[in-house]
Amino acid sequence: MVMKKRFFLCLNIAAAAVALLASCGKDEADVVSIGATINDYNNSEKVYVDNNRYTWWNNGDGVYINGVDYSLTVAGDIATIDNVAANQDGYYAVYPASLCGTASSGYPSVTLPQRQVYRTDGTNQILDAPMADYSGNADPALNFTNLCSLLKVTLPDNRLVAAIVVSNTGANLWGTCTLSGQDNPVLSAPSNGGKTVWLDCGTEGVSSANNRPFYVVLPSTNLTNLQVKVIVYKTVSGVKYTEIYNKESTAAPHLLANMVYTFDVPQNATYTEPWFTVANNRHARFAPGNLQYQASTNTWRFAPNEWDALVSGGGNTNPSASQSAWIDLFGYGTSGESYVIDRFLLPDINVPNDPWTHDGGVAFIDGGAHYYNHNIAGTNYDWGWRNPISNGGNAPQLWRTPTRDEWYYLLADLSTGAHLTSYRSMAGGLPYARKATLAIESGSSVTGLIIYPDNVSKAVGDNGGAFSSGTSTLSLTWGEWRYLDLMGCVFLPYGGIRNGTTISETSTGQYWSGSVSGEINNSDQASHIIFPSSDPLHPNGILDPRQGSYLYWGLSVREIQYM
């Protein structure tokens, strides 16, 4: 059982010096035990705030004292930090230790994170905002003071909150800060970092029912052009997507330490789902992952994660009617819908067009040369249109493959003419698409193409998260990708191609369109996109989707749904 120490907090927002008795005293000549208390704070960052305005210490809380990490111990109503190295100059302590380092001034430095992770004890939010105190050498005791402020966000209805993003165009809200002062510790404004912080409520989200508050830690600083985005989840066709409520205000407060500021989402607030424009006045959402198929059960699904690509794994190198491993590289139009060969005066032949077929011979069974003059988007030869997707609504005719022209409209800078020589730009001059390598939670990394939705504004004072201009490959941490994912960005991983049972070009992503080849107009090819490309005419690393690929090649498929 976790033992906790609590004291009552008054309801006044301003801090009140409510002391808590704690035993303390020297153990030996070289170490001491120090009692730990907390100054009153309406919504304390230590360790959490419950409905009765109590605050708690927990066993094992990390405290940074004179450059060393220590663990706090709770026994009954007493909280102590044991075996602290004795120091004639006294004890400068900061909580939590995980944010601390030693600055050149001799005082501790504190790094405020850009991504704050929502945690609870089961009921109440646990917060990791910094506190500090200095104690002299004689009978040392620590009474921690809050160094930051909190933004308290509430919603008027029950929604599944995915994240809360707070931005401004003036001060940095995250980065490295330094402490100064002993009697009244003060935390400087971040000297580096950036102007956007966000609270990540996880992939499952957190319910806002019963007026649940969400707290975002902010430094004491002047804000300019405050912007708050509240991101919530919704479910469409069995898939979880985000919607965003965005509020900008030129009237921004000067944040004071130890204060709580409120932001209430209004009744009937408008939330907007991120979308991708694929034609004039036509918007679409992307499937949450590449299409996959299990032959042994005749089951279609979207990949469990957006970055999943089987490449040489799964059943890609040995597709068959009995294969129980998933495959995700498909010949053109191999939805399972048979096609007919018209033999003129002889009887027609009904040819199977199964997802696992991989012949590269004269018959071109894999997609069928006999079907070469047809566009498949929105027909029964379209994988997602003909088949129910088990984790995508489990019904036919919910999803479709983007056409050649839709891929082109989505990605092309139309001012450059016939060829896709650069991605079209978003506000601020950033491209809509950019190659990137993601460091995912498992510790591995995945490379592919990120596409930014065209109806989501960047957070003010923020460079699109980690999304920036340029042609080199971005290198994103998990937190940076998570931010872009919440903003509605789509990631298309490298998957290579399959020719028969051979997998190659694994450092490329190649995705079918639902259209036969356009500009080349070869009768045995269909349009696709490929990235990166070594073609010097395409410096951003994507080949014109009007180019073609042989119908029997196995390529990746990412479906869309019109909105």
Side-chain angles (χ1 to χ4, degrees), residues 52 137 186 188 195 212 234 244 319 351 408 441 457 476 549:
N52 295 316
N137 183 47
V186 175
S188 72
K195 298 174 173 53
R212 177 193 296 271
K234 74 170 186 178
I244 302 174
V351 181
Y408 188 73
E441 282 187 302
S457 64
L476 303 178
S549 177

Side-chain angles (χ1 to χ4, degrees), residues 136-214:
N137 183 47
D139 295 325
L142 295 168
N143 186 27
F144 286 85
T145 299
N146 299 286
L147 302 172
C148 289
S149 63
L150 291 180
L151 181 67
K152 175 185 176 182
V153 178
T154 60
L155 286 71
D157 49 7
N158 183 11
R159 292 182 180 267
L160 202 57
V161 177
I164 295 169
V165 180
V166 181
S167 305
N168 84 121
T169 58
N172 288 338
L173 300 182
W174 66 276
T176 303
C177 313
T178 55
L179 273 166
S180 61
Q182 292 186 349
D183 294 336
N184 296 293
V186 175
L187 192 65
S188 72
S191 59
N192 52 17
K195 298 174 173 53
T196 297
V197 295
W198 57 289
L199 176 67
D200 187 352
C201 295
T203 56
E204 298 301 318
V206 177
S207 170
S208 63
N210 301 316
N211 206 35
R212 177 193 296 271
F214 295 83

Side-chain angles (χ1 to χ4, degrees), residues 269-286:
T270 299
Y271 292 82
T272 302
E273 180 185 345
W275 68 55
F276 300 85
T277 305
V278 295
N280 189 30
N281 295 321
R282 176 176 289 171
H283 308 306
R285 61 175 65 91
F286 273 88

Side-chain angles (χ1 to χ4, degrees), residues 98-101 109-114 128 130 174-177 187 192:
S98 59
L99 301 181
C100 296
S109 66
V110 175
T111 300
L112 300 179
Q114 180 183 29
D128 292 318
W174 66 276
T176 303
C177 313
L187 192 65
N192 52 17

